[in-house]
DNA sequence: ATGACTTGCTATGCAAGA
């Protein structure tokens, strides 16, 4: 089974690239973030013509998450919103049951700057994500995936000093991401590619030619429950989707899972 | 130069992204 997570930075602006990816890569599940449309305005019809059904949690202009699947999804999401999140109206969490998995698509708050209310809200959001993770892991096979907006280690940034002590790589954020993993999840990418450098980056600033200078961050993650983690055969960043015509500032992150019941790649 | 793009807004410059 092939899963992809991608912050599309507006599905309206990105529809040609989204359709390109679905046709070329044929993911079984696609978790999208920053769809930036209301549920009513979500392009269900075009996606259906491409062979995908979707559950969404969106709001006008900002944020918004979705799960797409080649198998028909229930019209209603398995869960909408993250219990305890600071502002449920921001539309940052949605869950679907697909291919025997509970799949959560998440867009963690950016945090703007340390010592802002937005940063405090980011930490609170991550704390509740850890609580939700524990519940999902206890429930069964699960994947929490999306734009987590945290670099787990210094190796996950092109130049840790370039972050100027700002968000995404503070101890406070890393401790809270670690707590999410401690709930029983595995960083699927690092489980198979522990030593990758800049090929692991999933976000590159639009400005200054950052992509072509390979100056990015690894902030999009696939976090898998133990049963799913054992099925991870490969993981990769699809860098070509970060360039070309009207790209998102994030590259898609793919994970290939062995079929349920088959042995996963031991690494 | 902690800017450099890109997006959506009810705009004609701005906030926000990370």
């Amino acid at each position: 089974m092939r899963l992809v997570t991608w912050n599309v930075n507006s599905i309206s602006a990105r529809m040609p690239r989204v359709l390109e990816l679905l046709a070329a890569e044929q993911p079984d599940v696609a978790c999208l973030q920053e769809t930036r449309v209301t549920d009513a305005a979500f392009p269900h019809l075009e996606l259906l013509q491409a062979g995908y059904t979707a559950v969404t949690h969106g709001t006008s202009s900002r944020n918004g998450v979705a799960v797409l699947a080649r198998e028909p999804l229930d019209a209603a999401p398995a869960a909408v919103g993250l219990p305890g999140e600071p502002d449920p109206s921001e539309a940052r969490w949605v869950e679907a049951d697909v291919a025997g998995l509970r799949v959560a698509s998440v867009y963690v708050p950016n945090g703007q700057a340390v010592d802002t209310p937005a940063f405090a809200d980011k930490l609170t959001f991550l704390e509740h994500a850890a609580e939700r993770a524990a519940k999902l892991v206890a429930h069964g096979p699960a994947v929490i995936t999306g734009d987590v907006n945290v670099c787990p280690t210094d190796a996950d940034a092109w130049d840790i000093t370039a972050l100027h002590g700002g968000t995404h790589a503070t101890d406070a954020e890393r401790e809270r991401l670690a707590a999410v993993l401690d709930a029983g999840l595995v960083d699927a990418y690092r489980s198979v590619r522990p030593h990758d450098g800049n090929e692991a980056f999933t976000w590159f600033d639009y400005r200054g030619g950052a992509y072509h200078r390979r100056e990015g961050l690894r902030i999009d993650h696939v976090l898998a429950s133990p049963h799913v983690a054992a099925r991870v055969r490969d993981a990769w960043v699809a860098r070509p989707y970060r360039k070309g015509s009207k790209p998102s500032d994030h590259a898609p992150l793919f994970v290939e899972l062995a079929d349920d019941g088959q042995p996963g790649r031991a690494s």
Side-chain angles (χ1 to χ4, degrees):
Chain A
M1 192 191 93
R2 178 172 290 186
L3 179 148
V4 62
T5 181
W6 194 13
N7 178 324
V8 295
N9 185 19
S10 169
I11 195 167
S12 305
R14 213 65 57 216
M15 205 53 185
R17 302 306 300 268
V18 171
L19 294 173
E20 174 194 3
L21 177 140
L22 295 176
E25 317 295 341
Q26 294 285 308
D28 299 287
V29 187
C31 295
L32 306 183
Q33 300 86 37
E34 279 205 87
T35 52
R36 301 177 70 170
V37 290
T38 61
D39 293 333
F42 195 85
H44 284 284
L45 188 54
E46 283 176 276
L47 292 169
L48 197 58
Q49 288 168 342
Y52 287 83
T53 58
V55 295
T56 67
H57 181 31
T59 184
S60 178
S61 308
R62 305 279 309 280
N63 316 319
V65 286
V67 179
L68 279 51
R70 287 205 290 186
E71 72 177 50
L73 290 173
D74 290 342
V80 175
L82 173 65
E85 66 184 315
D87 185 353
S89 74
E90 290 189 346
R92 297 179 177 276
W93 186 288
V94 70
E95 297 173 18
D97 287 315
V98 50
L101 303 179
R102 174 61 61 95
V103 177
S105 179
V106 56
Y107 177 45
V108 174
N110 169 292
Q112 294 183 341
V114 178
D115 296 329
T116 63
F119 187 74
D121 283 349
K122 179 180 191 175
L123 300 182
T124 300
F125 188 98
L126 286 166
E127 289 164 5
H128 289 287
E131 293 177 2
R132 185 64 184 160
K135 285 205 171 86
L136 293 180
V137 168
H139 175 265
V143 172
I144 297 175
T145 185
D147 180 355
V148 180
N149 271 323
V150 179
C151 297
T153 72
D154 287 0
D156 299 308
W158 86 97
D159 179 357
I160 202 67
T161 64
L163 294 175
H164 299 278
T167 59
H168 295 65
T170 64
D171 288 343
E173 291 162 290
R174 287 174 172 175
E175 287 165 4
R176 281 158 183 80
L177 175 57
V180 176
L181 293 166
D182 284 346
L185 298 173
V186 174
D187 180 338
Y189 187 90
R190 281 299 184 212
S191 76
V192 292
R193 298 182 180 271
H195 305 302
D196 278 3
N198 58 28
E199 62 268 53
F201 298 162
T202 60
W203 173 85
F204 302 85
D205 201 314
Y206 280 125
R207 298 166 292 188
Y211 173 77
H212 296 285
R213 298 155 74 95
R214 295 183 172 256
E215 296 178 348
L217 303 173
R218 191 176 78 93
I219 53 175
D220 298 85
H221 304 298
V222 175
L223 309 179
S225 69
H227 179 76
V228 182
R231 293 167 53 197
V232 175
R233 299 169 72 178
D234 199 4
W236 65 96
V237 177
R239 294 175 52 88
Y241 295 95
R242 177 58 186 83
K243 57 185 178 180
S245 175
K246 284 179 74 77
S248 172
D249 49 355
H250 292 250
L253 170 62
F254 281 86
V255 170
E256 191 80 37
L257 301 178
D259 290 341
D260 204 0
Q262 294 184 4
R265 173 172 133 178
S267 72

